Amino acid sequence: MDWIAAPVPGTAAQALREAGRWRLEDPPPLHDQDIWYRTRFDGSGRRTLRFNGLATLAEVWLNGRSILVSDNMFLTHEVEVDLAGDNELVVVFRSLDAEIVRRKGRARWRTALVENNRLRQVRTTLLGHMTGWQPAVHVVGPWRGIELVEQTSGPHVMAKRIRATLDGDDGLLDVSLDIDCGGTRPEARLIVAGIDAPLEWAGEGLLRGRLRIPDVEKWWPHTHGAPTLHRVRVTFGGFEIDLGQVGFRSIDVDKGSDGRGFALRVNGQPIFARGACWSTADLVTLAGDRETLAPWLRQARDAHMNVIRVGGTMIYESDDFFAVCDELGLLVWHDFMFANMDYPIADPSFRASVEREADQFLARVQAHPSLGVLCGGSEVGQQAAMLGLPSSLWSSPLFDEILPAIARAVCPDVVFVAQSPCGGDLPFQVNAGVSHYYGVGAYRLPLEDARRADVRFAAECLAFANAPAAVTPAGDRVPRDRGADWDFATVRDHYLERLYAVDAAKLRAEDPVHYLRLSRALSGDLMEVVVAEWRRPASRCAGALVWMLKDLSPGSGWGVVDSSGIPKLAWHGLRRAFRPVQVALTDEGLNGLAVHLTNETAAPVSTKLSLLCLQAGDVVVMRRECQVDLPARSARTMTSAELIGSFFDITYAYRFGPPPLEVAFVTLEDAVTGGRLSEAAHFPLGRSAIAQDPGLSAMLERDGEGWVVAIQANRFAPCIQIEAAHHHAEEEGFHLLPGEQRRVRLLATADVGENPPTGEVLSVASKLATSCRFG
């Protein structure tokens, strides 16, 4: 055999890439062959070998003896072994292609989204098998670590159950430990937040106890409070065991007066759940360590997201994933790994494997306060319903009986959703329950559909071919649904024409640079407009999770962050739309503009609200200011007439004569500090009406933290973008008012030493982009 070095945890694709034999741009198939791993290690006596994840059909030998056969990549296996000094461990991953040909049984229906429907019979990830939107990277190998567990002289916790709940404002911590103390029963105490309580022996090796913490500091999503964590320790017999951290919070669902809604409540407080769908930090390695995961999850937090959804087409995420989300104040919506297919749950061996898979996953993550929603799977019922099949085929005991029963037993304080989407007369109906909303998006409906659809909770939405940042190679990968005769660049071009009044095909051919700049602007604009509709106080929508957080490969993918980690203008648009203290505008036609004010924080905010209406870029036709006090966790809507105090055709709906304005701009400032909290713009004549030269100027400055560009405009400057070699801007896509200066920090994307950055600041409008240089 031709052996090469292989990292563990890791995948065969990772090892081949490191050896120069595999490329993400053109990945060769790996499921058509057997792939072998081997290693030698020292050790003698009785030990435990723990296999935390073998993808997918694995046979394991130790010193020539078979010790394990596994056909589920999501299972952990522990095998007691006797070591012989110099030991050889061999794992072969059998060809998945060959195995699924041998599998028998017909599905009740088939999906076009997965390349091979026989994958429904094998417990493996669908990553790499839905190739309309991801490279065909086949997951093979020990993708989670292999451990040699040594015997310890002290007490050893073999299993633990930790439940942190609230009783009013008090925290209740229930602990159950399966522990090996060598047959002894020493006195044991549970310690949390400076308070301790005794643990009682409830049987051989079983410790149980409860501790009450009066007026406990609760765990909150970071948009609504502090994600406070508390360390849990157990002491006995001269030993101390660290059981990790817990957070005290409650979570439930408010279905509304009609029983058809879906609004999450945390600690009794309704929250607008906003965030993105997660894929994996690295499609090749499937790495789950803190160092790899934390930068991506921080980008979600920094965009004011408070929910991350792991869909059923991905993998069960690692302990580090949940720990980082605990610390950042990000709720996790986690599907079980079922999606788009009719699974053979009537097969006893398949059912037993699935039950073990679900139980292991939940036992591992049940103590994390970030775990907020468990979901049976993604788009299974939707697929059957869209094929015109009867409602009896929309579900199965897997989602209605097996998974909810396990979830109730292990995680009783977590919301369970049978499938995503679900809840309406059809599974994919958007005005009931949980939906996947692509009206504005794949279905190319007008922006007005965001309100007309009456979305209650979008667990997926707003998928566009988001053009990467200017400093990132564009690539040529554009996502599409398998079997569709269009891709998401078509969707992008549709909205370019509607919002900016351009001929997208002609612009792409004649001025591809401006086409890309305008495409970047489009994504941010669409995010802000739709989220403004859903967050307004009168909306019944309680959540929006964008598809997706990050790209899996270079190109104009669905991600709002590109595959190298650079935020796109879509991310910047979401960050503005998701702010906890927010002002937003919606066009109410003859009723003028609605000004929506939100304060989700735990403290009241005294603000100054300003309205500026401009004509020709710098002619002020209306200016108003007022003080608005926003109580903690409140929202209200003002009308433009209330703010102005007299008639002014701010939406150009009455049309008595020529248009009185081109742009209406509102700002919300802290009345005490004067700091800008939020801003929003409305274009009554459309974005294409902004055509004047803004008169940009920019100056490069250095402060104690690095480089900053100070940007100013003589006239209204739409959509500021910054292009600088080896740097990206901390903030982009915002509009500049006449005479306003904005200081934007430049973040290095490569080691540039002390060399000052150089580049361009651009204001991107429909017909042209005006620019000035700096550095």
Side-chain angles (χ1 to χ4, degrees):
M1 289 188 180
D2 180 17
W3 296 99
I4 60 173
V8 177
T11 65
Q14 179 183 0
L16 290 165
R17 182 175 64 179
E18 292 178 3
R21 302 185 182 186
W22 189 97
R23 296 188 316 120
L24 180 63
E25 296 76 15
D26 185 24
L30 297 177
H31 287 322
D32 59 350
Q33 59 194 295
D34 294 350
I35 295 177
W36 294 74
Y37 280 69
R38 70 177 181 183
T39 190
R40 303 196 75 88
F41 63 97
D42 295 331
S44 300
R46 194 72 170 170
R47 297 287 189 277
T48 299
L49 274 173
R50 180 181 297 139
F51 301 88
N52 291 303
L54 302 172
T56 290
L57 305 172
E59 301 171 20
V60 185
W61 291 270
L62 178 66
N63 299 329
R65 184 174 68 87
S66 175
I67 61 170
L68 175 66
V69 176
S70 175
D71 62 356
N72 185 332
M73 75 171 278
F74 303 123
L75 288 181
T76 293
H77 303 276
E78 291 190 352
V79 184
E80 297 293 321
V81 297
D82 292 306
L83 302 184
D86 179 27
N87 304 279
E88 183 183 52
L89 183 68
V90 177
V91 185
V92 59
F93 296 92
R94 297 299 186 188
S95 164
L96 187 60
D97 288 351
E99 174 61 24
I100 60 178
V101 167
R102 291 192 290 268
R103 296 282 174 115
K104 304 298 182 184
R106 292 177 59 86
R108 297 175 298 173
W109 47 269
R110 297 171 60 84
T111 177
L113 294 177
V114 181
E115 64 184 12
N116 191 329
N117 271 248
R118 290 184 176 179
L119 288 168
R120 71 190 186 91
Q121 299 176 305
V122 182
R123 294 306 299 137
T124 194
T125 180
L126 292 182
L127 287 170
H129 298 285
M130 305 182 77
T131 51
W133 55 274
Q134 60 189 254
V137 177
H138 291 166
V139 178
V140 180
W143 69 288
R144 291 287 188 250
I146 299 174
E147 302 172 81
L148 181 64
V149 182
E150 301 285 345
Q151 302 297 320
T152 59
S153 57
H156 173 59
V157 176
M158 295 176 288
K160 64 182 180 181
R161 176 86 182 273
I162 300 175
R163 185 182 180 193
T165 57
L166 290 172
D167 181 16
D169 288 327
D170 292 354
L172 293 181
L173 186 70
D174 291 281
V175 172
S176 176
L177 301 178
D178 184 0
I179 191 166
D180 181 3
C181 284
T184 65
R185 292 190 176 188
E187 179 184 351
R189 300 195 72 81
L190 176 66
I191 305 171
V192 182
I195 299 175
D196 67 306
L199 291 172
E200 304 294 335
W201 291 97
E204 185 63 33
L206 183 61
L207 270 175
R208 288 179 178 168
R210 165 175 282 191
L211 182 147
R212 177 182 289 269
I213 306 173
D215 198 22
V216 71
E217 289 188 53
K218 301 179 182 68
W219 185 96
W220 288 93
H222 75 100
T223 50
H224 287 68
T228 303
L229 297 172
H230 304 268
R231 181 68 60 182
V232 181
R233 295 176 293 133
V234 171
T235 62
F236 54 92
F239 292 94
E240 180 175 292
I241 296 178
D242 186 343
L243 296 181
Q245 298 187 105
V246 298
F248 293 91
R249 61 102 184 99
S250 66
I251 186 166
D252 62 352
V253 171
D254 181 359
K255 294 189 175 181
S257 58
D258 63 355
R260 291 166 66 86
F262 187 91
L264 294 177
R265 293 188 301 194
V266 178
N267 303 330
Q269 176 66 37
I271 69 168
F272 185 85
R274 70 294 201 135
C277 297
W278 175 258
S279 48
T280 176
D282 189 305
L283 183 60
V284 178
T285 69
L286 299 186
D289 60 282
R290 173 181 287 268
E291 182 179 2
T292 302
L293 293 167
W296 299 103
L297 294 171
R298 279 197 295 267
Q299 286 185 318
R301 187 272 316 273
D302 291 347
H304 309 302
M305 299 181 185
N306 56 25
V307 177
I308 290 290
R309 177 184 170 216
V310 182
T313 56
M314 311 304 175
I315 56 175
Y316 293 105
E317 270 303 337
S318 66
D319 293 353
D320 278 354
F321 179 91
F322 284 91
V324 173
C325 289
D326 290 345
E327 296 160 14
L328 295 178
L330 292 170
L331 282 168
V332 178
W333 170 312
H334 207 300
D335 289 13
F336 292 92
M337 293 301 112
F338 300 95
N340 301 94
M341 295 187 292
D342 180 32
Y343 290 92
I345 199 62
D347 180 332
S349 62
F350 185 91
R351 175 170 178 159
S353 183
V354 164
E355 290 175 337
R356 186 179 175 197
E357 167 190 318
D359 192 69
Q360 282 190 359
F361 167 60
L362 295 186
R364 176 167 62 83
V365 303
Q366 57 89 22
H368 290 280
S370 58
L371 179 61
V373 180
L374 289 167
C375 179
S378 174
E379 295 190 348
V380 177
Q382 171 176 300
Q383 289 287 295
M386 283 189 164
L387 291 170
L389 299 174
S391 59
S392 60
L393 299 182
W394 297 353
S395 191
S396 85
L398 175 62
F399 307 116
D400 296 342
E401 302 168 18
I402 298 169
L403 294 177
I406 297 172
R408 282 194 302 270
V410 184
C411 298
D413 307 305
V414 173
V415 172
F416 184 84
V417 176
Q419 297 185 50
S420 183
C422 67
D425 299 325
L426 293 168
F428 47 86
Q429 192 169 335
V430 299
N431 65 349
V434 173
S435 67
H436 294 182
Y437 174 79
Y438 294 116
V440 178
Y443 305 141
R444 287 171 268 184
L445 296 179
L447 297 185
E448 293 77 15
D449 189 69
R451 179 178 298 195
R452 179 178 60 203
D454 190 22
V455 175
R456 305 299 286 270
F457 191 104
E460 294 180 14
C461 61
L462 301 180
F464 301 102
N466 296 314
V471 297
T472 308
D476 59 358
R477 177 174 289 276
V478 173
R480 68 166 64 234
D481 287 333
R482 278 180 56 86
D485 60 0
W486 52 271
D487 62 21
F488 279 77
T490 307
V491 175
R492 181 177 67 199
D493 288 354
H494 170 84
Y495 288 105
L496 276 174
E497 295 179 353
R498 296 302 180 275
L499 263 69
Y500 296 116
V502 298
D503 183 327
K506 182 178 179 182
L507 181 62
R508 183 173 60 247
E510 296 180 354
D511 193 347
V513 173
H514 186 58
Y515 170 80
L516 276 176
R517 288 168 175 165
L518 205 58
S519 295
R520 296 183 191 114
L522 172 75
S523 293
D525 284 343
L526 288 171
M527 301 293 179
E528 288 195 76
V529 168
V530 174
V531 173
E533 284 287 356
W534 291 344
R535 285 191 73 188
R536 61 192 171 87
S539 169
R540 298 201 294 178
C541 182
L545 309 182
V546 173
W547 184 265
M548 332 181 39
L549 179 65
K550 64 179 293 288
D551 287 337
L552 292 170
S553 59
S556 292
W558 283 320
V560 298
V561 181
D562 72 26
S563 60
S564 68
I566 307 299
K568 305 179 185 181
L569 260 72
W571 180 90
H572 291 282
L574 286 177
R575 184 167 68 162
R576 290 188 291 274
F578 285 165
R579 284 171 292 207
V581 180
Q582 171 79 333
V583 62
L585 298 173
T586 57
D587 187 338
E588 305 299 326
L590 295 175
N591 293 319
L593 286 179
V595 183
H596 309 291
L597 301 163
T598 302
N599 174 22
E600 294 177 328
T601 71
V605 180
S606 181
T607 71
K608 183 178 78 172
L609 176 65
S610 301
L611 168 68
L612 187 69
C613 297
L614 297 172
Q615 185 72 278
D618 61 354
V619 178
V620 178
V621 295
M622 177 64 64
R623 188 196 301 270
R624 292 290 188 273
E625 291 181 355
C626 67
Q627 182 164 323
V628 181
D629 293 325
L630 299 176
R633 295 180 178 139
S634 67
R636 62 172 293 191
T637 297
M638 300 174 63
T639 67
S640 53
E642 178 184 358
L643 182 56
I644 295 170
S646 60
F647 173 71
F648 181 69
D649 194 5
I650 197 168
T651 56
Y652 196 47
Y654 291 88
R655 299 179 183 267
F656 298 153
L661 76 164
E662 292 175 349
V663 59
F665 200 83
V666 293
T667 60
L668 194 67
E669 297 177 345
D670 189 299
V672 177
T673 68
R676 181 78 61 86
L677 298 171
S678 180
E679 60 197 36
H682 176 68
F683 304 93
L685 308 180
R687 289 161 178 79
S688 61
I690 307 301
Q692 66 279 346
D693 184 337
L696 282 178
S697 60
M699 179 178 296
L700 185 68
E701 302 174 355
R702 183 154 194 176
D703 61 16
E705 299 179 31
W707 296 101
V708 172
V709 178
I711 310 167
Q712 194 162 332
N714 296 327
R715 286 169 288 280
F716 180 78
C719 191
I720 298 297
Q721 301 183 28
I722 299 176
E723 299 178 2
H726 311 303
H727 291 80
H728 70 94
E730 189 174 45
E731 184 180 12
E732 285 191 275
F734 57 88
H735 310 307
L736 268 182
L737 291 175
E740 177 187 10
Q741 185 185 82
R742 190 78 65 98
R743 300 176 79 254
V744 179
R745 187 164 303 282
L746 298 180
L747 306 175
T749 59
D751 184 5
V752 293
E754 295 298 313
N755 295 325
T758 61
E760 285 185 287
V761 174
L762 303 106
S763 173
V764 178
S766 295
K767 301 298 188 292
L768 78 163
T770 56
S771 68
C772 65
R773 295 198 61 81
F774 63 86

